Amino acid sequence: MRKSHPVRRAVLAGAATVSGIVLLLSMKPASDPGGAQAAGGQVPPAAAGQAPQGGVNGAVTGDAQQTQYGAVQVRLTMSGGKITQAEAVQAPKGGRSDQITASSVPRLNQAAVAAQSAEIDAVSGATYTSAGYKKSLQSALDKAKAAGGAAQGSGSAQTLTGDVAQTQYGPVQVRVTVAGGKITKAEAVQAPKGGRSDQITSSSVPRLNQAAVAAGNAQIDAVSGATYTSAGYKKSLQSALDKAPAGGGGGGAAQGSGAGGAQAKTVTGTAAQTQYGPVQVRITVAGGKITKAEAVQAPKGGRSDQITSSSVPRLNQAAVAAGNAQIDAVSGATYTSAGYKQSLQSALDQAGG
């Protein structure tokens, strides 16, 4: 019978001890607090940021955002204050853009519904489209928030973001806070920048903000030396006030747009880009009907002047007669008609029609 060697016994004992320690360290508790989240790959809605609550229902169209490769515009379908569907009604197209749009937009739509906010990740390879999508998505949520605030009562504060106004030196976009029928805060979320524009913007925008609050409407004086910025500011400010629901803190809108009667509401649709220039429609709605329609932007210059002067009055009449955006295109004005109908639909979405 062989005797065990003392060194061999020591080695075997050490190996057994190490194996036991490894087994103990590798064991996990039966319940891991973070396990469900890690497995699902989803952040709870509260952490991701939710869409504005307050029973908002229906379609809300965000502002069109210009990118290096074309416009991006998002439309949301809301139910009970939550995003149930997201879609891009405008996205870059032509050449390589078709492939990028087809690949990225469905993923961005899904992300918007999942996150219930604009805090979504950009799609790899679609940086510009993603940035424009998120910006338009945020403006749609701002409009939904304003509508939700109006539903809760006219005394509550509402944040309204105006449409982007394009100027010779860059876009201008205004956001206002309205409470008790008065503008309590005004700010430019976009303004011309770069070179000389930086100095003009830093000097003029604070004065325009103060003027908007003081006046309570868009009838404010242009700042000397900042003619284009002032004009864009007033245009975007007016569109923000137009979005204030009737009787829900939109006193400035009523004064600025000339809307008569407590039940009348003036709403400006988002600008629709066409091959010959932007088309933007403003409507007055009363008693659930369109009582007035007008194009605040339409193609101009050269042949476009003649087409616009001939087609726009007919489109305005058709919109009032139909009460919706299902109107026929005017012969010889295909692009203008298509842009008109698109902007008209966005105005109706904002009006809740």
Side-chain angles (χ1 to χ4, degrees):
M1 185 174 182
R2 290 191 303 173
K3 294 183 180 180
S4 297
H5 197 284
V7 175
R8 180 175 296 173
R9 284 202 305 271
V11 170
L12 291 173
T17 302
V18 171
S19 298
I21 292 172
V22 170
L23 287 171
L24 286 171
L25 291 175
S26 65
M27 292 176 66
K28 291 185 178 180
S31 176
D32 183 357
Q37 180 174 326
Q42 297 178 349
V43 180
Q50 297 181 350
Q53 299 300 306
V56 181
N57 294 291
V60 185
T61 305
D63 298 330
Q65 301 300 325
Q66 298 301 322
T67 76
Q68 187 172 328
Y69 297 100
V72 180
Q73 187 174 28
V74 179
R75 177 178 294 159
L76 302 177
T77 300
M78 312 286 292
S79 178
K82 294 184 177 181
I83 302 172
T84 59
Q85 182 181 358
E87 57 183 324
V89 292
Q90 287 192 71
K93 57 186 176 181
R96 172 72 172 155
S97 293
D98 288 337
Q99 184 179 345
I100 294 174
T101 291
S103 169
S104 63
V105 166
R107 296 163 65 183
L108 291 166
N109 292 337
Q110 291 176 348
V113 175
Q116 293 291 307
S117 77
E119 300 303 318
I120 58 178
D121 292 332
V123 173
S124 178
T127 306
Y128 291 100
T129 297
S130 298
Y133 186 101
K134 291 169 68 177
K135 208 168 187 181
S136 183
L137 171 58
Q138 183 61 59
S139 81
L141 291 171
D142 287 342
K143 293 173 186 177
K145 182 179 179 182
Q152 292 175 29
S154 61
S156 59
Q158 306 169 49
T159 300
L160 307 164
T161 304
D163 299 331
V164 176
Q166 298 297 329
T167 77
Q168 186 173 329
Y169 297 100
V172 180
Q173 187 175 30
V174 179
R175 179 176 293 157
V176 296
T177 301
V178 180
K182 296 182 179 180
I183 300 175
T184 58
K185 182 181 178 182
E187 57 182 325
V189 292
Q190 287 193 70
K193 56 186 177 180
R196 172 74 173 153
S197 293
D198 288 337
Q199 183 179 344
I200 294 174
T201 291
S202 62
S203 169
S204 63
V205 166
R207 295 162 65 183
L208 291 166
N209 291 339
Q210 291 175 351
V213 174
N217 58 44
Q219 304 307 311
I220 58 178
D221 293 331
V223 173
S224 178
T227 306
Y228 291 100
T229 298
S230 298
Y233 186 101
K234 292 168 68 176
K235 198 170 188 181
S236 184
L237 171 59
Q238 182 62 60
S239 80
L241 293 173
D242 287 343
K243 294 169 186 176
Q255 295 175 42
S257 65
Q263 301 303 316
K265 177 167 57 172
T266 300
V267 186
T268 304
T270 50
Q273 299 300 322
T274 77
Q275 186 172 330
Y276 297 100
V279 180
Q280 188 172 30
V281 179
R282 177 177 293 158
I283 59 174
T284 300
V285 180
K289 296 182 179 180
I290 301 174
T291 58
K292 182 181 178 183
E294 57 183 323
V296 293
Q297 287 192 74
K300 55 186 178 181
R303 172 75 173 152
S304 292
D305 288 337
Q306 184 180 344
I307 294 174
T308 291
S309 63
S310 169
S311 63
V312 166
R314 295 163 65 183
L315 291 166
N316 291 338
Q317 291 175 350
V320 174
N324 57 43
Q326 303 306 310
I327 58 179
D328 293 332
V330 173
S331 177
T334 306
Y335 291 100
T336 297
S337 298
Y340 187 101
K341 292 168 67 176
Q342 187 173 327
S343 184
L344 173 58
Q345 183 60 59
S346 80
L348 289 170
D349 288 342
Q350 294 169 36

